[in-house]
Amino acid sequence: MSAGERSGGHPGRRRGRPRWWPGRAAADAHAAEEAERAADEAERARCTPISKCAEGPAGRPVVSVTGTLRSVTERTVAGLPALAAELDDGSARLEVIWLGRAAIAGIVPGRELVASGRIAVTHGRPVLFNPRYQLRPLDKE
């Protein structure tokens, strides 16, 4: 005889706290939002401001930058397609170029992203070629 049958309950039924109760889903959603916000702040703290990304005496270190895409255009570089975007973090602007790509899903003006790679200076402007990137979540309003 099981413990549930001895206590007069249903066989196989667990006793104790219910798995779900009203209000728990809202609390879980709020906790998830707080965790995402904390992760965003931590990511921003690890990123270098674009205005401080320059070639120094140590060469071209790998940097991570974050900002908002101001413009996205398709162009050709050496006869091959390239997607060029202008990333702005408030301190300066940086040109980001993906070589060999005519379009990338999610790379649109107004979208926030985090990009990392080595900054090059071409024609006096900082450029980030083929960076690793992570799209930031869209604002849910």
Side-chain angles (χ1 to χ4, degrees), residues 36-63:
E36 184 177 325
R37 195 169 311 145
D40 286 346
E41 291 301 318
E43 186 68 44
R44 289 184 192 282
R46 284 192 299 267
C47 292
T48 306
I50 293 173
S51 62
K52 295 187 180 187
C53 294
E55 219 174 296
R60 299 180 329 167
V62 174
V63 296

Side-chain angles (χ1 to χ4, degrees), residues 69 104-108 111-114 133-137:
L69 294 173
I104 299 174
I107 302 293
V108 295
R111 188 72 187 256
E112 290 187 19
L113 67 85
V114 177
Y133 66 95
Q134 178 182 9
L135 296 172
R136 305 306 303 158

Side-chain angles (χ1 to χ4, degrees), residues 119-141:
I119 302 283
V121 178
T122 43
H123 304 293
R125 295 188 59 196
V127 180
L128 190 56
F129 287 102
N130 294 329
R132 289 181 177 224
Y133 66 95
Q134 178 182 9
L135 296 172
R136 305 306 303 158
L138 295 171
D139 290 334
K140 300 169 190 149
E141 295 183 29

Side-chain angles (χ1 to χ4, degrees), residues 1-9:
M1 183 181 252
S2 72
E5 292 170 335
R6 278 193 302 254
S7 64

